[in-house]
Amino acid sequence: MKDIDYLKLLSEEYSSISSVTSEIINLNAILNLPKGTEHFLTDLHGEYEAFSYVLRNASGVLKFKIDDLFDGELNCKEKRKLATLLYYPEEKLDLIKKEISDLDRWYKNTLVQLIKICRVVSSKYTRSRVRKTLPKDFAYIIEELLHEEEERLNKHDYFNNIIDTIIEIDRADDFIVAIANLIQRLAIDRLHIVGDIYDRGPYAHKILDDLIDRSNSVDLQWGNHDILWMGAASGSLACITNVVRIALRYANLSTLEEGYGINLLPLATFALNTYKDDECNSFIPKKPIENYYQEKDLELISKMHKAISIIQFKIEGQIIKNSPNYDMDDRLLLDKINYRENTIEVNNQKYKLNDTKFPTVDKNNPYRLTEEEERIINRIRECFLGSDKLQKHIKFLYSNGSMYLKYNSNLLYHSCVPMTEEGSFRKVNLGNEKLYGKTLFDKLDFLVRMSYFNNGDLDKKLYGQDIMWYLWCNGDSPLFGKNRMTTFERYFIDDKSTHIEIKDPYYKFRDNEIILDNILREFGLNPEVSHIINGHVPVKASKGESPIKGDGKLLVIDGGFSKAYQSKTGLAGYTLIYNSYGIRLASHDPFESKERAIVEETDILSTLEVLEKMDKRKYIYDTDKGKELNDRVKYLKKLLAAYRMGLINEDIE
């Protein structure tokens, strides 16, 4: 019999005919369950409260379930209160208990309502799957309540006695919290984050804590901002300076200082001394957090911002000079400054500088760090390398993330596939190779991993770190998607024509079905049934732009989770929802605050649009997981035959 060696290994797990037959029956039953609900989010950019709320209400899905389940039983106000309790059980309980006179009766009604909701959201799963998700303290009780209905004649007293006892022994609050969290978890079977958790907003570290808590049901496709932090965590000075610069640019130091304990005091001291007579007007934070920083704080942040930017330009210049294959000589600008005329030459044209104070730049060797700059950046680097929480989060990004993902006939990547002006795949020089399409993504995925985990070969590790920076800002990077990053020009030149960053040709072909089909084939997917899902470029819905491209082949789901982009999008984010009936897009209104959501019971208004309705309901046997389970069943049947034929002996003990 073929595969006999594999079957012998399999027999160690299933050592008898009865265990094999039980597992075959179990797997075949699972294959005939409805497909789980997938949620796709992108470009979270540190907006923790909005992200957390969308997870808690399952992008508005739980609100609709409450409306359906209790239609005619609860009024609108009661439904809102129940929904808020479901989203924020601990906080809402404290408020409700102050206003309810007959608390025991309220507890009983509420527990029954939550159990009904839990029955609905758990109905797609096996008992075994639900059991693994149950909170330990109430696992047995919840399992009993989920599978026994109070209306059933023989179990009426049994069901009600469980509820009454929970209330009597003062465990109702704990039970409500436990079952609410269980409902939130079961409402989303798989969560896809299509890039850019970091930067802009204040609490990327909190988002990652929540994702790690769901790690068995989460995947991530790295965005350019994620790669930047991954490079910084590996020790890349170019990535570290960019991370710090962006945090200072938005006066947003929470993730760095509170989240990861990065000490910026040496940079602050250096900036105060070096730029004490410099107003640093071009480096005033873009969007300071309201009422959080005083004027003196912002002055200091501006000086730190300029200090780290100059260090960044020097370090990047060193990489560009040492890596001619990156083709980034046009980014070497410190040596193009004319200090007599206070001008700079960019692309063979002269421009007036709006800032002429460069106290640390050596005119004869402009890309050399001063001793003080080198000491400071190395101290900051030690903080990045020594932050246990940062390293834990980055390891999670590696273990659950990738450059792209194929999942249930969907192709997920953050930004673009580099293309030519004619619409073919652009060949990218990477070392001694010319790569394009899937091979380019695969190679970059390998190099990204090497930069973090290869500690044996220093040259390879340093090359990998440079690749991380390359992915952040190079014109051939599939994560960046523009011809250049004009950071220097935006700070030092008022002429906005120098600020222009031209998008990759990919973006003008996003409505071309033929080219989208070519991309899907390149990654091994059937264009007839597959979609591409992207983020990276905010959809300007307020100006009539649609997230649906190429007649539904491509879905761009960056709707402005980050507050920095909401003025452009007119929205506060999208969630793509793919369940057993079809694909829907939820567009969210801005989330004002957690406090208002709890006290005033205001829900994010989420508008659901059906993008694709299935001809027939999808089951697990239609999914990638189903293919794996079918293969498992195939080998279990071979093992069963081997036992019956005596080719492998059963363990009869």
Side-chain angles (χ1 to χ4, degrees):
M1 179 182 280
K2 291 182 180 180
D3 309 311
I4 192 68
D5 290 336
Y6 175 73
L7 295 178
K8 285 178 179 177
L9 286 172
L10 195 60
S11 71
E12 294 177 10
E13 186 176 355
Y14 304 98
S15 58
S16 65
I17 286 176
S18 62
S19 64
V20 173
T21 53
S22 293
E23 184 65 359
I24 291 171
I25 293 166
N26 175 48
L27 293 180
N28 274 327
I30 291 172
L31 285 165
N32 285 277
L33 283 170
K35 172 194 171 301
T37 302
E38 300 172 57
H39 282 230
F40 302 77
L41 297 168
T42 188
D43 294 272
L44 304 175
H45 286 299
E47 296 292 348
Y48 173 71
E49 285 201 349
F51 164 75
S52 176
Y53 194 81
V54 166
L55 280 196
R56 289 167 185 268
N57 76 354
S59 304
V61 170
L62 286 176
K63 179 178 181 294
F64 290 116
K65 289 192 183 300
I66 289 171
D67 286 341
D68 289 342
L69 267 175
F70 303 105
D71 186 34
E73 183 179 334
L74 301 177
N75 60 36
C76 291
K77 185 178 179 181
E78 290 168 334
K79 288 177 185 177
R80 283 201 308 273
K81 189 179 292 295
L82 178 60
T84 306
L85 178 68
L86 178 54
Y87 308 156
Y88 293 105
E90 292 171 291
E91 297 90 338
K92 192 62 181 174
L93 269 169
D94 289 340
L95 296 177
I96 289 173
K97 285 158 66 176
K98 292 174 183 176
E99 62 187 45
I100 297 293
S101 55
D102 189 348
L103 196 57
D104 284 358
R105 183 175 178 180
W106 177 85
Y107 273 138
K108 185 159 188 172
N109 290 337
T110 301
L111 290 173
V112 171
Q113 289 161 359
L114 290 173
I115 290 161
K116 284 181 180 179
I117 299 169
C118 197
R119 280 197 193 119
V120 171
V121 297
S122 65
S123 62
K124 285 187 176 182
Y125 305 107
T126 63
R127 284 197 184 192
S128 173
R129 168 71 186 278
V130 174
R131 194 176 295 126
K132 289 174 184 175
T133 315
L134 293 173
K136 288 182 181 178
D137 287 354
F138 296 104
Y140 171 75
I141 298 169
I142 292 176
E143 191 170 8
E144 286 294 292
L145 291 172
L146 287 181
H147 299 103
E148 300 297 345
E149 296 188 26
E150 60 177 329
E151 292 85 3
R152 193 177 298 173
L153 181 63
N154 294 330
K155 290 296 182 86
H156 179 272
D157 291 341
Y158 174 76
F159 180 96
N160 280 287
N161 188 261
I162 293 175
I163 299 291
D164 291 339
T165 304
I166 290 169
I167 298 166
E168 181 187 337
I169 62 174
D170 293 326
R171 293 304 307 275
D173 285 6
D174 295 329
F175 188 88
I176 287 170
V177 171
I179 199 165
N181 289 334
L182 175 64
I183 291 166
Q184 292 173 22
R185 188 64 60 94
L186 292 175
I188 301 173
D189 183 51
R190 187 78 187 178
L191 181 61
H192 307 282
I193 307 295
V194 195
D196 279 359
I197 294 168
Y198 282 101
D199 294 330
R200 302 286 195 270
Y203 301 119
H205 55 290
K206 292 185 179 182
I207 292 175
L208 278 154
D209 281 338
D210 278 10
L211 293 177
I212 288 171
D213 189 47
R214 291 174 172 255
S215 58
N216 292 332
S217 59
V218 172
D219 57 71
L220 311 105
Q221 295 70 58
W222 304 320
N224 52 322
H225 288 269
D226 305 320
I227 282 289
L228 190 64
W229 278 81
M230 290 160 70
S234 75
S236 162
L237 294 179
C239 292
I240 288 169
T241 52
N242 273 281
V243 162
V244 175
R245 177 184 62 78
I246 292 169
L248 293 165
R249 187 184 188 195
Y250 287 89
N252 173 20
L253 302 175
S254 299
T255 296
L256 275 175
E257 294 183 333
E258 298 169 26
Y260 297 136
I262 306 299
N263 181 14
L264 296 180
L265 182 59
L267 177 64
T269 305
F270 169 76
L272 276 174
N273 292 332
T274 307
Y275 298 96
K276 60 184 176 182
D277 298 322
D278 188 342
E279 293 182 357
C280 301
N281 288 327
S282 295
F283 295 87
I284 294 169
K286 246 186 175 322
K287 289 189 177 292
I289 298 171
E290 206 171 337
N291 299 325
Y292 190 78
Y293 292 109
Q294 296 179 1
E295 191 174 334
K296 284 190 175 181
D297 296 325
L298 295 175
E299 287 176 12
L300 173 58
I301 289 172
S302 300
K303 295 181 192 302
M304 293 168 69
H305 187 186
K306 183 172 183 179
I308 200 68
S309 298
I310 298 299
I311 295 172
Q312 174 192 315
F313 299 139
K314 289 182 177 184
I315 291 170
E316 289 178 337
Q318 293 171 19
I319 296 174
I320 293 167
K321 282 173 165 288
N322 292 329
S323 308
N325 58 316
Y326 287 178
D327 194 23
M328 295 177 69
D329 285 356
D330 65 325
R331 299 295 83 213
L332 294 171
L333 295 173
L334 287 179
D335 60 336
K336 307 296 189 303
I337 297 173
N338 185 321
Y339 290 93
R340 263 185 312 106
E341 299 178 2
N342 292 330
T343 60
I344 188 168
E345 189 175 299
V346 179
N347 296 327
N348 299 317
Q349 286 194 12
K350 279 188 179 181
Y351 296 92
K352 197 76 176 172
L353 289 167
N354 60 30
D355 183 338
T356 58
K357 295 178 181 178
F358 298 94
T360 68
V361 177
D362 182 345
K363 299 173 189 177
N364 299 315
N365 191 359
Y367 300 104
R368 183 181 64 81
L369 293 170
T370 66
E371 287 185 13
E372 188 71 1
E373 286 175 326
E374 196 163 344
R375 183 182 66 81
I376 287 161
I377 195 58
N378 281 325
R379 284 186 65 180
I380 295 173
R381 180 178 183 269
E382 288 171 10
C383 289
F384 273 82
L385 292 174
S387 171
D388 291 339
K389 186 162 187 175
L390 172 62
Q391 298 300 330
K392 175 186 175 182
H393 285 177
I394 296 305
K395 284 175 183 174
F396 171 73
L397 289 180
Y398 275 104
S399 61
N400 286 57
S402 55
M403 283 290 295
Y404 70 95
L405 179 69
K406 296 187 291 182
Y407 197 92
N408 289 340
S409 296
N410 290 316
L411 174 61
L412 286 63
Y413 53 83
H414 178 66
S415 176
C416 71
V417 178
M419 308 201 81
T420 67
E421 291 291 343
E422 293 72 38
S424 58
F425 298 120
R426 187 164 76 249
K427 292 182 179 179
V428 172
N429 292 320
L430 209 57
N432 298 321
E433 299 176 280
K434 286 193 172 185
L435 304 171
Y436 63 88
K438 182 177 179 295
T439 57
L440 174 63
F441 276 72
D442 288 337
K443 182 68 173 184
L444 288 170
D445 192 290
F446 169 76
L447 292 173
V448 166
R449 295 179 192 282
M450 184 178 70
S451 77
Y452 190 77
F453 293 104
N454 188 341
N455 294 315
D457 190 324
L458 183 59
D459 287 340
K460 286 184 178 178
K461 187 173 181 68
L462 291 173
Y463 173 65
Q465 288 177 359
D466 288 352
I467 286 292
M468 305 286 266
W469 173 78
Y470 165 100
L471 281 168
W472 161 246
C473 62
N474 188 274
D476 284 327
S477 166
L479 298 185
F480 178 46
K482 297 178 184 177
N483 67 330
R484 61 173 57 88
M485 189 175 284
T486 57
T487 307
F488 184 97
E489 292 92 327
R490 289 169 186 267
Y491 285 132
F492 291 102
I493 304 173
D494 291 332
D495 189 331
K496 291 190 176 180
S497 66
T498 65
H499 303 177
I500 295 170
E501 299 169 348
I502 301 169
K503 290 180 184 176
D504 191 280
Y506 168 89
Y507 291 98
K508 73 179 183 182
F509 293 116
R510 291 190 301 174
D511 270 315
N512 188 314
E513 290 182 58
I514 295 172
I515 288 175
L516 297 178
D517 286 351
N518 289 340
I519 293 173
L520 289 165
R521 289 192 194 95
E522 168 68 13
F523 284 84
L525 290 170
N526 179 1
E528 298 301 316
V529 295
S530 302
H531 310 85
I532 299 168
I533 300 171
N534 284 170
H536 190 58
V537 178
V539 175
K540 296 182 177 70
S542 58
K543 295 184 178 179
E545 184 184 356
S546 171
I548 306 164
K549 313 290 183 184
D551 197 27
K553 294 269 184 183
L554 173 64
L555 305 168
V556 182
I557 58 169
D558 182 1
F561 246 100
S562 171
K563 290 177 182 175
Y565 297 126
Q566 287 173 10
S567 61
K568 296 179 182 178
T569 63
L571 297 170
Y574 289 118
T575 304
L576 191 68
I577 303 168
Y578 180 21
N579 63 18
S580 58
Y581 292 106
I583 299 174
R584 294 181 294 173
L585 187 69
S587 54
H588 309 299
D589 278 359
F591 178 73
E592 295 192 27
S593 72
K594 176 181 173 180
E595 289 71 23
R596 188 173 175 197
I598 295 166
V599 175
E600 299 181 26
E601 299 171 355
T602 55
D603 209 333
I604 288 181
L605 182 61
S606 298
T607 305
L608 283 173
E609 177 184 358
V610 177
L611 302 185
E612 190 173 302
K613 194 172 182 179
M614 303 303 167
D615 294 333
K616 66 180 186 70
R617 194 178 191 188
K618 277 190 174 287
Y619 291 84
I620 288 178
Y621 59 71
D622 295 309
T623 68
D624 292 346
K625 182 67 175 176
K627 291 169 189 170
E628 292 176 15
L629 295 181
N630 265 318
D631 287 342
R632 183 87 165 168
V633 168
K634 181 179 72 174
Y635 281 107
L636 285 168
K637 286 181 176 178
K638 287 184 178 182
L639 178 59
L640 181 61
Y643 279 143
R644 286 173 172 167
M645 293 167 65
L647 295 173
I648 298 176
N649 293 327
E650 285 187 85
D651 184 353
I652 55 174
E653 289 183 6

